[in-house]
């Protein structure tokens, strides 16, 4: 690949901020659009949003938007929500595209190559956040399963399956992160209790 | 005496490990028929390893590229814990006679 096109590709890969911006704008506009002329909310959209919307209305001069204006705002908010959803889906799709060039070229990569290509950030995150024992027993097997299945799918030439394996693997990883939090917290509290207790 | 405590998922994992022998985490998920999830099976296995119900080792299969994967198997303590649970269940269900014959 040419260096220039690679740079352009890298620039494009850091494009998740528009999703965030669109989502924030939609989040701001939707409650304003839902405030009726009398100031009461037409649709229950979530207490925080409606209060926030009312605050914005007050900031804008104290009068709620008219029905035509509300319709326009609502349409814009819905369009932005739809755009951010589409854009987010596209980002997710791009993130899970096959990136392991060496694997496609040589067929069988070295372990270090595989680890540094697929799931390296997850690997580093789990290694940093959790203890060595937890990492070895919980997160390392998840990531190794992901790499194993991904490699198998690529060796079979099934790119769609490989992509699906990545999505499923990332989902499993984050599920494990969430599920592990109470276990690790309990372990930490017990350790602290033992250290600070009368027997410690 | 410390009475072994097993959650339903831990009991299922032990049953599968006892009936199949050594298994990878993904094989456990497949063998459970959807009762175990990919994301949480290793968290449960990690907790069970802490309690001493299972043990694991890394296995490098022949011709397989990449780092060695971890297989899990039930320990003797795990097997005993499951038996105790089964007996407890039968007692609770009123099958005291069955429990006596098992033990």
């Amino acid at each position: 690949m040419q260096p220039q096109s690679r740079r352009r590709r890298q620039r494009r890969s850091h494009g998740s901020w528009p999703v965030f911006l669109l989502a924030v704008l939609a989040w701001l506009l939707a409650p304003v659009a839902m405030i009726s002329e009398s100031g009461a909310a037409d649709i229950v959209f979530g207490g925080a949003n409606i209060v926030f919307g009312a605050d914005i209305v007050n900031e804008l001069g104290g009068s709620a938007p008219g029905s035509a204006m509300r319709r326009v705002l609502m349409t814009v908010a819905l369009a932005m929500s739809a755009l951010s959803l589409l854009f987010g889906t596209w980002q997710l799709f791009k993130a899970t595209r096959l990136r392991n060039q060496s694997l496609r070229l040589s067929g069988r990569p070295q372990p270090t190559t595989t680890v540094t290509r697929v799931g390296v950030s997850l690997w580093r995150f789990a290694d940093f956040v959790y203890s060595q024992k937890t990492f070895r027993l919980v997160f390392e097997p998840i990531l190794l399963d992901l790499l194993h299945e991904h490699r198998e799918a690529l060796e079979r030439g099934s790119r769609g399956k490989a992509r699906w394996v990545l999505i499923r693997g990332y989902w499993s990883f984050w599920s494990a992160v969430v599920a592990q939090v109470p276990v690790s917290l309990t372990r930490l509290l017990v350790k602290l209790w033992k250290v600070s207790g009368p027997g410690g | 005496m410390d009475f072994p405590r097993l959650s339903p998922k831990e009991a299922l994992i032990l049953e599968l490990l006892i009936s199949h022998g050594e298994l990878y985490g993904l094989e456990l998920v497949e063998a459970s028929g959807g009762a175990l999830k990919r994301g949480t099976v290793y968290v449960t296995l990690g907790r069970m390893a802490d309690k001493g119900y299972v043990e694991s080792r890394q296995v490098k299969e022949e011709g397989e590229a990449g780092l060695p994967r971890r297989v899990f198997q039930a320990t003797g303590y795990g097997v005993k814990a499951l038996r105790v649970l089964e007996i407890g269940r039968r007692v609770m269900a009123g099958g005291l006679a069955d429990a006596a014959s098992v033990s």
Side-chain angles (χ1 to χ4, degrees):
Chain A
M1 193 183 285
Q2 294 299 315
Q4 196 182 350
S5 59
R6 191 184 299 161
R7 270 202 300 275
R8 202 178 304 133
R9 211 179 150 80
Q10 279 171 350
R11 258 204 312 273
R12 265 185 294 170
S13 69
H14 297 294
S16 54
W17 65 268
V19 186
F20 179 71
L21 193 67
L22 281 171
V24 168
L25 281 175
W27 190 79
L28 285 172
L29 275 177
V32 177
M34 285 173 186
I35 302 293
S36 70
E37 285 174 48
S38 62
D42 280 332
I43 306 165
V44 176
F45 190 64
N49 279 1
I50 287 162
V51 171
F52 193 55
D55 287 346
I56 291 170
V57 168
N58 288 334
E59 285 293 319
L60 290 173
S63 60
S67 60
M69 188 62 182
R70 272 189 292 135
R71 213 171 296 130
V72 171
L73 284 173
M74 197 66 206
T75 311
V76 173
L78 280 175
M80 282 181 170
S81 301
L83 270 177
S84 62
L85 183 68
L86 277 174
F87 207 77
T89 312
W90 171 240
Q91 288 288 321
L92 184 67
F93 179 73
K94 269 199 341 186
T96 55
R97 276 167 81 172
L98 307 180
R99 288 169 291 168
N100 201 338
Q101 300 289 337
S102 65
L103 184 61
R104 271 187 274 167
L105 293 173
S106 65
R108 282 199 181 277
Q110 293 301 308
T112 49
T113 313
T114 316
V115 169
T116 52
R117 291 286 180 174
V118 179
V120 63
S121 47
L122 302 184
W123 191 279
R124 284 183 186 154
F125 170 81
D127 194 21
F128 177 73
V129 171
Y130 291 102
S131 68
Q132 193 59 37
K133 190 182 172 191
T134 306
F135 176 76
R136 198 169 40 82
L137 278 175
V138 178
F139 295 103
E140 192 185 65
I142 292 176
L143 292 171
L144 288 178
D145 284 344
L146 165 65
L147 296 175
H148 178 77
E149 286 189 310
H150 186 246
R151 190 175 47 241
E152 266 187 359
L154 284 182
E155 280 172 359
R156 272 194 236 116
S158 172
R159 298 180 58 166
K161 173 86 187 293
R163 199 170 290 160
W164 168 241
V165 162
L166 279 184
I167 293 172
R168 200 173 51 182
Y170 289 165
W171 177 257
S172 303
F173 178 85
W174 290 110
S175 306
V177 167
V178 172
Q180 185 62 34
V181 166
V183 180
S184 292
L185 269 181
T186 311
R187 207 177 285 156
L188 183 69
L189 285 174
V190 168
K191 210 179 276 179
L192 285 173
W193 176 266
K194 279 181 183 170
V195 169
S196 62
Chain B
M1 186 190 157
D2 208 13
F3 194 77
R5 279 175 292 181
L6 280 174
S7 73
K9 280 196 178 170
E10 288 175 343
L12 175 63
I13 287 175
L14 277 176
E15 277 169 19
L16 289 170
L17 288 177
I18 291 166
S19 58
H20 290 83
E22 280 188 330
L23 287 176
Y24 290 110
L26 283 186
E27 289 175 333
L28 273 169
V29 172
E30 282 164 20
S32 72
L36 298 170
K37 304 288 175 211
R38 289 164 165 264
T40 51
V41 68
Y42 288 111
V43 179
T44 313
L45 282 167
R47 209 169 52 213
M48 290 172 74
D50 276 350
K51 293 178 186 173
Y53 296 152
V54 297
E55 59 191 5
S56 64
R57 65 188 180 95
Q58 288 188 310
V59 177
K60 174 98 176 166
E61 283 182 12
E62 228 172 276
E64 188 182 289
L67 297 166
R69 292 165 74 205
R70 195 168 283 279
V71 288
F72 293 84
Q73 66 174 0
T75 60
Y77 181 58
V79 175
K80 276 184 190 172
L82 186 67
R83 296 282 171 264
V84 169
L85 181 79
E86 283 171 357
I87 292 168
R89 273 181 191 160
R90 288 182 190 182
V91 170
M92 291 298 282
L96 198 52
D98 287 348
S101 67
V102 169
S103 61

